[in-house]
Coordinates of all heavy atoms in Angstrom, one line a residue:
M48 N 11.3 9.2 -20.2 CA 10.3 8.6 -19.4 C 9.9 7.3 -19.9 O 9.7 7.1 -21.1 CB 9.1 9.6 -19.2 CG 8.0 9.0 -18.5 SD 6.6 10.1 -18.3 CE 7.1 10.9 -16.9
R49 N 9.8 6.3 -19.0 CA 9.4 5.0 -19.5 C 7.9 4.9 -19.7 O 7.1 5.5 -19.1 CB 9.7 3.9 -18.4 CG 11.2 3.8 -18.2 CD 11.6 2.7 -17.4 NE 13.0 2.7 -17.3 CZ 13.7 2.0 -16.4 NH1 13.1 1.3 -15.6 NH2 15.0 2.0 -16.5
K50 N 7.5 4.2 -20.8 CA 6.1 4.0 -21.2 C 5.6 2.8 -20.5 O 6.2 1.7 -20.4 CB 6.0 3.9 -22.7 CG 6.5 5.1 -23.4 CD 6.3 4.9 -24.9 CE 7.3 4.0 -25.5 NZ 7.2 3.8 -26.9
L51 N 4.4 2.9 -20.0 CA 3.7 1.7 -19.4 C 2.9 1.0 -20.5 O 2.5 1.6 -21.5 CB 2.7 2.2 -18.3 CG 3.4 2.8 -17.1 CD1 2.4 3.3 -16.1 CD2 4.3 1.8 -16.4
P52 N 2.7 -0.3 -20.3 CA 2.0 -1.1 -21.3 C 0.5 -0.5 -21.4 O -0.1 -0.2 -20.4 CB 2.0 -2.5 -20.8 CG 2.8 -2.5 -19.6 CD 3.2 -1.1 -19.2
T53 N 0.0 -0.5 -22.6 CA -1.3 0.0 -22.8 C -2.3 -1.2 -23.3 O -3.5 -1.0 -23.4 CB -1.4 1.1 -23.9 OG1 -0.8 0.5 -25.1 CG2 -0.6 2.3 -23.5
V54 N -1.7 -2.4 -23.5 CA -2.4 -3.5 -23.9 C -2.1 -4.7 -23.0 O -0.9 -4.9 -22.7 CB -2.1 -3.9 -25.4 CG1 -2.8 -5.1 -25.8 CG2 -2.4 -2.7 -26.3
A55 N -3.1 -5.4 -22.6 CA -2.8 -6.6 -21.8 C -2.6 -7.8 -22.7 O -3.1 -7.8 -23.8 CB -4.0 -6.8 -20.8
P56 N -2.0 -8.9 -22.2 CA -1.7 -10.1 -23.0 C -3.0 -10.7 -23.6 O -3.0 -11.1 -24.7 CB -1.0 -11.0 -22.1 CG -0.5 -10.2 -21.0 CD -1.4 -9.0 -20.9
G57 N -4.1 -10.7 -22.8 CA -5.3 -11.3 -23.3 C -5.9 -10.6 -24.5 O -6.5 -11.2 -25.4
Q58 N -5.6 -9.3 -24.7 CA -6.0 -8.5 -25.8 C -5.3 -8.9 -27.1 O -5.7 -8.6 -28.2 CB -5.9 -7.0 -25.6 CG -6.9 -6.6 -24.5 CD -6.6 -5.1 -24.1 OE1 -5.6 -4.8 -23.5 NE2 -7.5 -4.2 -24.4
L59 N -4.1 -9.6 -26.9 CA -3.3 -10.0 -28.0 C -3.3 -11.5 -28.3 O -2.5 -12.0 -29.0 CB -1.8 -9.6 -27.7 CG -1.6 -8.1 -27.6 CD1 -0.2 -7.8 -27.0 CD2 -1.8 -7.4 -28.9
G60 N -4.3 -12.2 -27.6 CA -4.5 -13.6 -27.8 C -3.8 -14.5 -26.8 O -3.8 -15.7 -27.0
F61 N -3.1 -13.9 -25.8 CA -2.4 -14.7 -24.8 C -3.3 -14.9 -23.6 O -3.1 -14.3 -22.5 CB -1.1 -14.1 -24.4 CG -0.2 -13.9 -25.6 CD1 0.1 -12.6 -26.1 CD2 0.4 -15.0 -26.2 CE1 1.0 -12.4 -27.1 CE2 1.3 -14.8 -27.2 CZ 1.6 -13.5 -27.7
S62 N -4.4 -15.6 -23.7 CA -5.5 -15.7 -22.7 C -5.0 -16.4 -21.5 O -5.6 -16.3 -20.4 CB -6.7 -16.4 -23.3 OG -6.4 -17.7 -23.7
T63 N -3.9 -17.2 -21.6 CA -3.4 -18.0 -20.4 C -2.3 -17.3 -19.6 O -1.8 -17.8 -18.7 CB -2.9 -19.4 -20.8 OG1 -1.9 -19.2 -21.8 CG2 -4.0 -20.2 -21.4
A64 N -2.0 -16.0 -20.1 CA -0.9 -15.3 -19.4 C -1.3 -14.9 -18.0 O -2.5 -14.6 -17.7 CB -0.6 -14.0 -20.2
K65 N -0.3 -14.9 -17.1 CA -0.5 -14.6 -15.7 C 0.4 -13.5 -15.3 O 1.6 -13.5 -15.6 CB -0.3 -15.8 -14.8 CG -1.3 -16.9 -15.0 CD -1.1 -18.0 -14.0 CE -2.2 -19.0 -14.1 NZ -1.9 -20.2 -14.8
E66 N 0.0 -12.4 -14.6 CA 0.8 -11.4 -14.2 C 1.6 -11.8 -12.9 O 1.0 -12.4 -12.0 CB 0.1 -10.1 -13.9 CG 1.0 -8.9 -13.6 CD 0.2 -7.6 -13.6 OE1 -0.9 -7.5 -14.3 OE2 0.7 -6.6 -13.0
L67 N 2.9 -11.5 -12.9 CA 3.8 -11.8 -11.8 C 4.5 -10.6 -11.3 O 4.8 -9.7 -12.1 CB 4.8 -12.9 -12.2 CG 4.3 -14.2 -12.7 CD1 5.5 -15.0 -13.2 CD2 3.6 -15.0 -11.7
A68 N 4.8 -10.6 -10.0 CA 5.7 -9.6 -9.5 C 6.6 -10.2 -8.4 O 6.1 -11.0 -7.6 CB 4.9 -8.5 -8.8
F69 N 7.9 -9.9 -8.5 CA 8.8 -10.4 -7.5 C 10.1 -9.5 -7.4 O 10.3 -8.7 -8.3 CB 9.2 -11.9 -7.9 CG 9.8 -12.0 -9.3 CD1 11.2 -11.9 -9.5 CD2 9.0 -12.1 -10.4 CE1 11.7 -12.0 -10.8 CE2 9.5 -12.3 -11.7 CZ 10.8 -12.2 -11.9
K70 N 10.8 -9.7 -6.4 CA 12.0 -8.9 -6.2 C 13.2 -9.7 -6.7 O 13.3 -10.9 -6.4 CB 12.2 -8.5 -4.7 CG 11.2 -7.4 -4.3 CD 11.5 -6.9 -2.9 CE 10.5 -5.8 -2.6 NZ 10.7 -5.3 -1.3
S71 N 14.2 -9.1 -7.3 CA 15.4 -9.8 -7.7 C 16.2 -10.2 -6.5 O 16.2 -9.6 -5.5 CB 16.2 -8.8 -8.6 OG 16.7 -7.7 -7.9
A72 N 16.8 -11.3 -6.7 CA 17.6 -11.9 -5.6 C 18.8 -11.1 -5.2 O 19.1 -11.0 -4.0 CB 18.0 -13.4 -5.9
E73 N 19.5 -10.5 -6.1 CA 20.7 -9.8 -5.9 C 20.5 -8.5 -5.1 O 21.2 -8.2 -4.2 CB 21.5 -9.6 -7.2 CG 22.8 -8.9 -7.1 CD 23.9 -9.8 -6.5 OE1 23.7 -11.0 -6.5 OE2 24.8 -9.2 -5.9
D74 N 19.6 -7.6 -5.7 CA 19.5 -6.3 -5.1 C 18.1 -5.9 -4.7 O 17.8 -4.7 -4.4 CB 20.1 -5.3 -6.1 CG 19.5 -5.4 -7.5 OD1 18.5 -6.1 -7.7 OD2 20.1 -4.7 -8.4
G75 N 17.1 -6.8 -4.8 CA 15.8 -6.5 -4.3 C 14.9 -5.6 -5.2 O 13.9 -5.0 -4.8
V76 N 15.3 -5.4 -6.5 CA 14.6 -4.6 -7.4 C 13.3 -5.3 -7.8 O 13.3 -6.5 -8.1 CB 15.4 -4.3 -8.7 CG1 14.5 -3.6 -9.8 CG2 16.6 -3.5 -8.4
L77 N 12.2 -4.6 -7.7 CA 10.9 -5.2 -8.0 C 10.8 -5.3 -9.5 O 10.9 -4.4 -10.3 CB 9.7 -4.3 -7.5 CG 8.3 -4.8 -7.8 CD1 8.0 -6.1 -7.1 CD2 7.3 -3.7 -7.5
L78 N 10.5 -6.5 -10.0 CA 10.3 -6.9 -11.4 C 8.8 -7.3 -11.5 O 8.3 -8.1 -10.7 CB 11.2 -8.0 -11.8 CG 12.7 -7.8 -11.6 CD1 13.5 -9.1 -11.8 CD2 13.2 -6.7 -12.5
R79 N 8.2 -6.8 -12.6 CA 6.8 -7.2 -12.9 C 6.8 -7.7 -14.4 O 7.5 -7.2 -15.2 CB 5.9 -6.0 -12.8 CG 5.8 -5.6 -11.3 CD 4.9 -4.4 -11.1 NE 3.7 -4.5 -11.8 CZ 3.0 -3.4 -12.3 NH1 3.5 -2.2 -12.2 NH2 1.9 -3.5 -12.9
G80 N 6.0 -8.7 -14.6 CA 5.9 -9.2 -16.0 C 4.7 -10.2 -16.1 O 3.9 -10.4 -15.2
W81 N 4.6 -10.7 -17.3 CA 3.6 -11.7 -17.6 C 4.3 -13.0 -17.9 O 5.2 -13.1 -18.7 CB 2.8 -11.3 -18.8 CG 1.8 -10.1 -18.5 CD1 0.8 -10.1 -17.6 CD2 1.8 -8.9 -19.1 NE1 0.2 -8.9 -17.6 CE2 0.8 -8.1 -18.5 CE3 2.6 -8.3 -20.1 CZ2 0.5 -6.8 -18.9 CZ3 2.3 -7.0 -20.5 CH2 1.3 -6.3 -19.9
L82 N 3.7 -14.1 -17.4 CA 4.2 -15.4 -17.7 C 3.2 -16.0 -18.7 O 2.0 -16.1 -18.4 CB 4.2 -16.3 -16.5 CG 4.6 -17.8 -16.7 CD1 6.0 -17.9 -17.3 CD2 4.5 -18.6 -15.5
V83 N 3.7 -16.3 -19.9 CA 2.9 -16.9 -21.0 C 3.3 -18.4 -21.1 O 4.4 -18.7 -21.5 CB 3.1 -16.2 -22.3 CG1 2.1 -16.7 -23.3 CG2 2.9 -14.7 -22.1
P84 N 2.4 -19.3 -20.6 CA 2.8 -20.7 -20.6 C 2.7 -21.3 -22.0 O 2.0 -20.8 -22.9 CB 1.8 -21.3 -19.7 CG 0.6 -20.4 -19.7 CD 1.1 -19.1 -20.0
S85 N 3.5 -22.4 -22.2 CA 3.4 -23.2 -23.4 C 3.3 -24.7 -23.0 O 3.1 -25.0 -21.8 CB 4.7 -23.0 -24.2 OG 5.7 -23.8 -23.7
T86 N 3.4 -25.5 -24.0 CA 3.3 -27.0 -23.7 C 4.6 -27.6 -23.5 O 4.7 -28.8 -23.1 CB 2.6 -27.7 -24.8 OG1 3.3 -27.4 -26.0 CG2 1.1 -27.2 -25.0
G87 N 5.7 -26.9 -23.6 CA 7.0 -27.4 -23.5 C 7.6 -27.4 -22.1 O 6.9 -27.1 -21.2
S88 N 8.9 -27.7 -22.0 CA 9.5 -27.8 -20.7 C 10.7 -26.7 -20.6 O 11.3 -26.7 -19.6 CB 10.1 -29.2 -20.5 OG 11.1 -29.5 -21.5
R89 N 10.8 -25.9 -21.6 CA 11.9 -24.9 -21.6 C 11.3 -23.5 -21.3 O 10.1 -23.3 -21.5 CB 12.6 -24.9 -22.9 CG 13.3 -26.2 -23.2 CD 13.8 -26.2 -24.6 NE 12.7 -26.2 -25.6 CZ 12.9 -26.0 -26.9 NH1 14.1 -26.0 -27.4 NH2 11.8 -26.0 -27.7
A90 N 12.1 -22.6 -20.9 CA 11.6 -21.2 -20.6 C 12.6 -20.2 -21.1 O 13.8 -20.5 -21.2 CB 11.4 -21.1 -19.1
I91 N 12.1 -19.0 -21.3 CA 12.9 -17.9 -21.7 C 12.4 -16.6 -21.1 O 11.2 -16.5 -20.8 CB 13.0 -17.7 -23.3 CG1 14.0 -16.7 -23.7 CG2 11.6 -17.4 -23.8 CD1 14.4 -16.8 -25.1
V92 N 13.3 -15.7 -20.8 CA 12.9 -14.4 -20.2 C 13.2 -13.3 -21.2 O 14.3 -13.2 -21.8 CB 13.7 -14.1 -18.9 CG1 13.4 -12.7 -18.4 CG2 13.5 -15.1 -17.9
L93 N 12.2 -12.5 -21.5 CA 12.3 -11.4 -22.4 C 12.2 -10.1 -21.7 O 11.4 -9.9 -20.8 CB 11.2 -11.4 -23.5 CG 11.2 -12.6 -24.5 CD1 10.0 -12.4 -25.4 CD2 12.4 -12.6 -25.3
V94 N 13.1 -9.2 -22.0 CA 13.1 -7.8 -21.3 C 13.2 -6.8 -22.4 O 14.0 -6.9 -23.3 CB 14.4 -7.7 -20.4 CG1 14.4 -6.4 -19.7 CG2 14.4 -8.8 -19.4
H95 N 12.3 -5.8 -22.3 CA 12.3 -4.7 -23.3 C 13.4 -3.7 -23.1 O 14.1 -3.7 -22.1 CB 10.9 -4.0 -23.2 CG 10.7 -3.4 -21.9 ND1 11.3 -2.2 -21.5 CD2 9.9 -3.8 -20.8 CE1 10.9 -1.9 -20.3 NE2 10.1 -2.8 -19.8
G96 N 13.6 -2.9 -24.1 CA 14.6 -1.8 -24.0 C 14.2 -0.7 -23.0 O 13.0 -0.6 -22.6
I97 N 15.1 0.2 -22.7 CA 14.8 1.2 -21.6 C 13.7 2.2 -22.0 O 13.0 2.7 -21.2 CB 16.1 1.9 -21.2 CG1 15.9 2.7 -20.0 CG2 16.6 2.8 -22.4 CD1 17.1 3.1 -19.2
N98 N 13.6 2.5 -23.3 CA 12.6 3.4 -23.7 C 11.4 2.7 -24.4 O 10.7 3.3 -25.2 CB 13.2 4.4 -24.7 CG 14.2 5.3 -24.1 OD1 14.0 5.8 -22.9 ND2 15.3 5.6 -24.7
S99 N 11.1 1.6 -23.9 CA 10.0 0.8 -24.5 C 9.1 0.3 -23.4 O 9.2 0.7 -22.3 CB 10.7 -0.4 -25.3 OG 9.7 -1.2 -25.9
H100 N 8.2 -0.6 -23.8 CA 7.4 -1.3 -22.8 C 7.1 -2.7 -23.3 O 7.5 -3.1 -24.4 CB 6.1 -0.5 -22.4 CG 5.2 -0.3 -23.6 ND1 4.4 -1.3 -24.1 CD2 4.9 0.9 -24.3 CE1 3.7 -0.8 -25.1 NE2 4.0 0.5 -25.2
A101 N 6.3 -3.4 -22.6 CA 6.1 -4.8 -22.8 C 5.7 -5.2 -24.2 O 6.1 -6.2 -24.8 CB 5.1 -5.4 -21.8
W102 N 4.8 -4.5 -24.9 CA 4.3 -4.9 -26.2 C 4.6 -4.0 -27.3 O 3.9 -3.9 -28.3 CB 2.8 -5.1 -26.0 CG 2.4 -6.2 -25.0 CD1 1.8 -5.9 -23.8 CD2 2.7 -7.6 -25.1 NE1 1.7 -7.1 -23.1 CE2 2.2 -8.1 -23.8 CE3 3.3 -8.4 -26.0 CZ2 2.3 -9.5 -23.5 CZ3 3.4 -9.8 -25.7 CH2 2.9 -10.3 -24.5
D103 N 5.7 -3.2 -27.2 CA 6.2 -2.3 -28.3 C 6.7 -3.2 -29.4 O 7.1 -4.3 -29.2 CB 7.3 -1.5 -27.8 CG 6.9 0.0 -27.4 OD1 5.7 0.2 -27.5 OD2 7.8 0.7 -27.0
G104 N 6.7 -2.6 -30.6 CA 7.3 -3.2 -31.7 C 6.9 -4.6 -32.0 O 5.7 -4.9 -32.2
H105 N 7.8 -5.6 -32.1 CA 7.5 -6.9 -32.5 C 7.4 -7.9 -31.3 O 7.3 -9.1 -31.5 CB 8.7 -7.4 -33.4 CG 8.8 -6.6 -34.7 ND1 7.9 -6.6 -35.7 CD2 9.8 -5.7 -35.0 CE1 8.3 -5.8 -36.6 NE2 9.5 -5.3 -36.3
A106 N 7.3 -7.4 -30.1 CA 7.2 -8.2 -28.9 C 6.1 -9.3 -29.0 O 6.4 -10.4 -28.7 CB 7.0 -7.4 -27.7
P107 N 4.9 -9.0 -29.4 CA 3.8 -10.0 -29.5 C 4.2 -11.2 -30.4 O 4.0 -12.3 -30.1 CB 2.6 -9.3 -29.9 CG 2.8 -7.9 -29.5 CD 4.3 -7.7 -29.7
E108 N 4.8 -10.8 -31.5 CA 5.2 -11.9 -32.5 C 6.4 -12.7 -31.9 O 6.4 -13.9 -32.2 CB 5.6 -11.2 -33.8 CG 4.5 -10.6 -34.6 CD 4.2 -9.1 -34.1 OE1 5.0 -8.6 -33.4 OE2 3.2 -8.6 -34.6
V109 N 7.3 -12.1 -31.2 CA 8.4 -12.8 -30.6 C 7.9 -13.7 -29.5 O 8.3 -14.9 -29.5 CB 9.5 -11.8 -30.1 CG1 10.5 -12.5 -29.3 CG2 10.1 -11.0 -31.2
V110 N 7.0 -13.3 -28.7 CA 6.4 -14.1 -27.6 C 5.7 -15.3 -28.3 O 5.9 -16.4 -27.9 CB 5.5 -13.3 -26.7 CG1 4.7 -14.2 -25.8 CG2 6.3 -12.3 -25.9
R111 N 4.9 -15.0 -29.3 CA 4.1 -16.1 -29.9 C 5.1 -17.1 -30.5 O 4.8 -18.3 -30.4 CB 3.2 -15.5 -31.0 CG 2.2 -16.5 -31.5 CD 1.1 -16.0 -32.3 NE 0.5 -14.7 -31.9 CZ -0.3 -14.6 -30.8 NH1 -0.7 -15.7 -30.1 NH2 -0.8 -13.4 -30.5
A112 N 6.1 -16.7 -31.2 CA 7.1 -17.6 -31.8 C 7.7 -18.5 -30.7 O 7.8 -19.7 -31.0 CB 8.2 -16.8 -32.6
Y113 N 8.1 -18.0 -29.6 CA 8.7 -18.8 -28.5 C 7.7 -19.8 -27.9 O 8.0 -20.9 -27.7 CB 9.3 -17.9 -27.4 CG 10.7 -17.4 -27.8 CD1 11.0 -16.1 -27.9 CD2 11.7 -18.3 -28.0 CE1 12.2 -15.6 -28.2 CE2 13.0 -17.9 -28.2 CZ 13.3 -16.5 -28.4 OH 14.5 -16.1 -28.7
V114 N 6.5 -19.3 -27.7 CA 5.4 -20.2 -27.2 C 5.1 -21.3 -28.1 O 5.0 -22.4 -27.8 CB 4.1 -19.3 -26.8 CG1 3.0 -20.3 -26.5 CG2 4.4 -18.4 -25.6
D115 N 5.0 -20.9 -29.4 CA 4.7 -22.0 -30.4 C 5.9 -23.0 -30.5 O 5.7 -24.1 -30.9 CB 4.5 -21.3 -31.8 CG 3.2 -20.6 -31.9 OD1 2.3 -20.8 -31.0 OD2 3.0 -19.8 -32.9
A116 N 7.1 -22.6 -30.2 CA 8.3 -23.4 -30.2 C 8.4 -24.2 -28.9 O 9.4 -25.0 -28.7 CB 9.5 -22.6 -30.5
G117 N 7.5 -24.1 -28.0 CA 7.5 -24.8 -26.8 C 8.2 -24.2 -25.6 O 8.4 -24.9 -24.6
F118 N 8.4 -22.9 -25.6 CA 9.0 -22.2 -24.5 C 7.9 -21.5 -23.7 O 7.0 -20.8 -24.2 CB 10.0 -21.1 -25.0 CG 11.2 -21.6 -25.6 CD1 11.3 -22.0 -26.9 CD2 12.4 -21.6 -24.8 CE1 12.5 -22.4 -27.4 CE2 13.6 -22.1 -25.3 CZ 13.7 -22.5 -26.6
H119 N 8.0 -21.6 -22.4 CA 7.2 -20.7 -21.5 C 8.0 -19.4 -21.5 O 9.2 -19.4 -21.5 CB 7.3 -21.2 -20.0 CG 6.7 -22.6 -19.9 ND1 5.4 -22.9 -19.9 CD2 7.4 -23.8 -19.7 CE1 5.3 -24.2 -19.8 NE2 6.4 -24.8 -19.6
V120 N 7.2 -18.3 -21.6 CA 7.9 -17.0 -21.7 C 7.5 -16.1 -20.5 O 6.4 -15.9 -20.2 CB 7.4 -16.3 -23.0 CG1 8.0 -14.9 -23.1 CG2 7.8 -17.1 -24.3
L121 N 8.6 -15.6 -19.9 CA 8.4 -14.6 -18.8 C 8.8 -13.3 -19.5 O 9.9 -13.1 -19.8 CB 9.2 -14.9 -17.6 CG 9.2 -13.8 -16.5 CD1 7.7 -13.5 -16.0 CD2 10.1 -14.1 -15.3
H122 N 7.8 -12.4 -19.7 CA 8.0 -11.2 -20.4 C 8.0 -10.1 -19.3 O 6.9 -9.7 -18.8 CB 6.9 -11.0 -21.4 CG 7.2 -9.9 -22.4 ND1 6.4 -9.5 -23.3 CD2 8.4 -9.1 -22.6 CE1 6.9 -8.5 -24.1 NE2 8.1 -8.3 -23.6
I123 N 9.2 -9.6 -19.0 CA 9.3 -8.5 -18.0 C 8.8 -7.2 -18.6 O 9.3 -6.8 -19.6 CB 10.7 -8.4 -17.5 CG1 11.2 -9.7 -16.9 CG2 10.8 -7.2 -16.5 CD1 10.5 -10.1 -15.6
F124 N 7.8 -6.5 -17.9 CA 7.4 -5.3 -18.5 C 7.6 -4.1 -17.6 O 7.4 -2.9 -18.0 CB 5.9 -5.3 -18.8 CG 4.9 -5.4 -17.7 CD1 4.5 -4.3 -16.9 CD2 4.4 -6.7 -17.4 CE1 3.6 -4.4 -15.9 CE2 3.5 -6.8 -16.3 CZ 3.1 -5.7 -15.6
C125 N 8.1 -4.2 -16.4 CA 8.3 -3.1 -15.5 C 9.5 -3.4 -14.5 O 9.4 -4.4 -13.9 CB 7.1 -2.7 -14.8 SG 7.2 -1.2 -13.8
I126 N 10.4 -2.5 -14.5 CA 11.5 -2.6 -13.6 C 11.6 -1.4 -12.8 O 11.3 -0.3 -13.2 CB 12.9 -2.8 -14.4 CG1 12.8 -4.0 -15.2 CG2 14.0 -2.8 -13.4 CD1 14.0 -4.2 -16.1

């Protein structure tokens, strides 16, 4: 069974994060996630493992490292 996130980005110091939801272009699967903006012009998409959720393990540190490096991060938390 998939685990739902128990912590919101704001609780981890990502106060500018915005929740997004959209359907994939290919097959219409609903994707939900948080967009964590940075000051740069590049972006990256992070997707958790099947038995995980958005902020398991080292995810907050990974998101913070990318944001600090100038990447906007779209962190998918629900498929």
Side-chain angles (χ1 to χ4, degrees):
M48 174 179 272
R49 294 190 180 165
K50 298 183 284 181
L51 296 175
T53 58
V54 178
Q58 294 171 292
L59 298 169
F61 302 109
S62 61
T63 59
K65 295 182 172 106
E66 188 169 335
L67 300 175
F69 55 94
K70 291 187 177 181
S71 64
E73 181 72 21
D74 53 10
V76 172
L77 180 63
L78 302 171
R79 293 176 49 211
W81 288 299
L82 176 63
V83 183
S85 77
T86 58
S88 60
R89 301 171 293 174
I91 190 164
V92 177
L93 295 179
V94 181
H95 60 78
I97 194 162
N98 293 320
S99 185
H100 62 71
W102 301 109
D103 261 2
H105 301 289
E108 293 86 7
V109 172
V110 170
R111 189 167 321 284
Y113 278 118
V114 168
D115 289 348
F118 287 85
H119 303 285
V120 178
L121 176 57
H122 194 187
I123 302 295
F124 69 80
C125 188
I126 298 176

